[in-house]
Amino acid sequence: MLIILSHDVSPNPGPSGPRSTGPTNYANPLKLMHWNLNSLLAGVNRISLIESYNAIQSYDFIALTESKLASTTLNESIQLDGYTPIRRDLPTGTY
């Protein structure tokens, strides 16, 4: 609160609008999706949901945590067009 009262820090220091000059182009920000799934393959077809969200938002990165994938799950079964899966599967015998 004291910093804001000193009037030298903006409460919203982000860009005020699109810029066409300078080192950063705020008109095209990096788009990231993160979803803590608690299992990618259980229940609802989450791959289709991710593809649908991506069709609307055109994400640069998609991060999925708690996917609960095992080494027996092939990349082909979770592949999203245009993306490369980087995995850290559950150890064998865990849930």
Side-chain angles (χ1 to χ4, degrees):
M1 184 65 131
L2 182 59
I3 294 173
I4 292 174
L5 292 176
S6 69
H7 301 292
D8 65 346
V9 175
S10 172
N12 183 8
S16 60
R19 294 186 194 177
S20 58
T21 61
T24 305
N25 182 356
Y26 292 111
N28 296 311
L30 183 67
K31 288 188 138 186
L32 171 70
M33 174 189 178
H34 172 257
W35 189 0
N36 186 340
L37 295 165
N38 194 24
S39 185
L40 179 61
L41 302 176
V44 178
N45 187 346
R46 293 181 173 143
I47 298 289
S48 294
L49 288 173
I50 294 165
E51 289 173 332
S52 297
Y53 289 134
N54 191 42
I56 296 166
Q57 296 295 329
S58 299
Y59 293 110
D60 296 305
F61 294 97
I62 298 174
L64 307 173
T65 54
E66 293 193 24
S67 63
K68 297 190 177 174
L69 295 178
S71 59
T72 55
T73 305
L74 300 176
N75 280 345
E76 291 76 21
S77 67
I78 60 167
Q79 185 66 43
L80 297 172
D81 288 340
Y83 292 86
T84 302
I86 300 172
R87 299 170 50 165
R88 184 172 179 191
D89 295 339
L90 288 170
T92 303
T94 60
Y95 299 98

